[in-house]
Every structure is written in structure tokens, then in C-alpha cells.
Amino acid sequence: MSGLIGRKIGMTRLPDTGGNYVSCTVIQAGPCIVTQVKTDEKDGYKAIQLGFEEATDKHTPKAEQGHFKKAGTTNKRRVMEFRGFEKELKAGDVLDVTLFNEGDFVDVAGTSKGEGFQGVVKRWGFGGVGSRTHGQHDRQRAPGSAGASSFPSRVWPGKKQAGRTGGVRAKAQNLSIFKILPEKNVLLLKGSVPGYNGSYVVVEK
């Protein structure tokens, strides 16, 4: 799918035509620069590589500096490939929020907030062992029995247990574009998207 690389700015709320307030996520989408056009003949598949945000030489490897120089653009912090652009693009072309229209539905992918090591109640929604009866004074948020006795005498792989929560790739699908601010390269989407404020996201059309 075609799309843009962006940053999650935060959330706000705006009134719709009926006077009801709608919760919206603010995303700075682009401008993105085409850094490479991949073709079937040379690369074995068709794709458009986009770069987002300026980067200094200090924070850009030499090989990537040469790559951006060949494309005729400055160093970029984030690079990603997209497929499905309808119009023909060449290295150096600039894409911005005019790629979208208000009312369009988009998918937004990002890395969810990391929450560290969590117990089963928070991680999986377990109800806990229960009340403090029969001497159970510290078992309210415990996982309870985890395995069988004689067979298989072990815990099955994949059992829902305590562990690290969040910090994984996640995607919010079919979010409606509530408003576009082209002068600021900002999209306002109905609903929430994965990630903390300031994190990179990918908006796919």
C-alpha cells in the first residue's frame, strides 16, 4: 500500500458537524522524499523507498550518506519502502499529506508503549485467585495453577504467564481522517494509534 512516514504528536478533541466532540490523534505525516525507486529488472520487485526527517552526518553511516547523495537529497533519519503508488515517482520527489483526503480510511502502524515486566492480571486480564479465604493473604493477583500433575508433568509452551508487556509492532486499522492541515503537514485521525508521543508511525492508504 502507498503511504507516508510520520510522527505521533499526541491527542486532542475537535467538534464535528453535529457539535459532538471527537477524540483525534495528531500525526505529522511527511514531508517524505523518494530516496530510491526499485524495479523488477534491477531489484526483483517494485517499491518506492521514502526518507523522513533530517539527520546529520554524525548520525548517518557512510554507506547511507552515499545512498542519499546518489538520490540528490539530504541525510534522513528514517527510511521505509512502500508499494502501490499509483503515479510514477522518481528519486527526489516530495510526498506530503496531500496524498490523502478528509474522510479517507487509513491504517497506522507503530511500536506500542513498553510497560516492562507485568503480572498476569495486567498482561492477560486474569481475575486472580480470589478472596482472602483459607489463609490466602497475598494471592489476589496470582496466576494460580499452571500445569497438570502426572501428565504432562510440565507447563505447556505458550501458556499465558507474567512477562514483558508492550513494545511490539502494532497496527490500528480503518481510522478515518477527520481533518488535514496541509500547511503544517498534519493529519488528525479519529481514535488512537500505537506508540508514545514522539514515536515514528507509518500511515498506509
Side-chain angles (χ1 to χ4, degrees), residues 14-25:
L14 295 172
D16 60 12
T17 55
N20 300 313
Y21 277 90
V22 178
S23 297
C24 297
T25 302

Side-chain angles (χ1 to χ4, degrees), residues 9-123:
I9 305 301
M11 293 197 72
T12 186
R13 61 176 191 155
L14 295 172
D16 60 12
T17 55
N20 300 313
Y21 277 90
V22 178
S23 297
C24 297
T25 302
V26 183
I27 295 178
Q28 180 193 353
C32 296
I33 296 180
V34 178
T35 55
Q36 186 180 2
V37 178
K38 298 199 171 184
T39 61
D40 286 324
E41 295 76 19
K42 187 175 181 180
D43 304 287
Y45 65 98
K46 292 182 179 179
I48 301 296
Q49 186 187 85
L50 299 182
F52 176 66
E53 281 194 346
E54 300 295 320
T56 62
D57 288 344
K58 176 182 177 182
H59 296 106
T60 307
K62 290 287 186 180
E64 292 185 12
Q65 290 183 33
H67 179 72
F68 295 130
K69 187 176 181 180
K70 182 179 178 181
T73 183
T74 56
N75 300 331
K76 299 300 175 184
R77 284 186 179 273
R78 190 68 72 171
V79 175
M80 188 165 290
E81 291 184 3
F82 294 85
R83 302 187 188 188
F85 279 99
E86 296 176 356
K87 61 179 182 179
E88 292 292 329
L89 297 170
K90 62 182 183 299
D93 287 349
V94 179
L95 301 175
D96 53 25
V97 292
T98 56
L99 184 69
F100 306 102
N101 298 307
E102 292 184 4
D104 286 350
F105 288 89
V106 296
D107 297 343
V108 182
T111 303
S112 63
K113 292 181 180 179
E115 300 182 25
F117 192 97
Q118 301 297 334
V120 292
V121 173
K122 179 171 183 177
R123 192 182 188 199

